[in-house]
Amino acid sequence: MKIILYCFVFSILVLIFQSEIKTIEELCKENSIDIDAFMLISNLYNGFYPSEKELNQLKDISTVLLYLKNSHRFYVNEKYPELKTI
């Protein structure tokens, strides 16, 4: 089953908790996600910023673009409206 990712990193984390014991690599393969792009984005959340060399070595920039697009959509449609009610 193909999973549509609305928020890239959080969706993978949900998959990890909902699935049998699988590695991140296995989950990425099953969902056609480039593992290097996933690790690059995940590391950003942990304060590890990629070097220019690492960025240039990405094989599939479309994964990063999909993440950025869906992350933006998530904040515009979910988080910002939520903040307005506070």
Side-chain angles (χ1 to χ4, degrees):
M1 179 173 139
K2 184 93 172 159
I3 296 175
I4 299 172
L5 300 175
Y6 291 103
C7 193
F8 188 77
V9 174
F10 299 116
S11 295
I12 289 294
L13 293 175
V14 168
L15 285 171
I16 291 168
F17 291 119
Q18 290 179 347
S19 69
E20 304 163 9
I21 297 175
K22 293 183 181 181
T23 66
I24 290 175
E25 183 178 17
E26 290 170 328
L27 291 169
C28 285
K29 282 182 182 178
E30 288 175 11
N31 293 283
S32 303
I33 298 168
D34 179 62
I35 184 74
D36 294 326
F38 173 79
M39 294 306 297
L40 183 137
I41 293 167
S42 297
N43 283 335
L44 288 173
Y45 282 92
N46 292 308
F48 298 103
Y49 302 102
S51 66
E52 187 174 335
K53 180 181 177 183
E54 290 172 309
L55 291 172
N56 290 332
Q57 288 177 340
L58 279 178
K59 293 174 259 161
D60 186 12
I61 194 70
S62 65
T63 301
V64 175
L65 295 175
L66 177 64
Y67 165 76
L68 291 172
K69 179 181 173 183
N70 289 331
S71 180
H72 176 77
R73 187 176 319 149
F74 171 75
Y75 279 95
V76 167
N77 295 330
E78 301 289 331
K79 288 299 171 185
Y80 292 149
E82 183 180 311
L83 290 172
K84 287 181 182 180
T85 64
I86 296 177

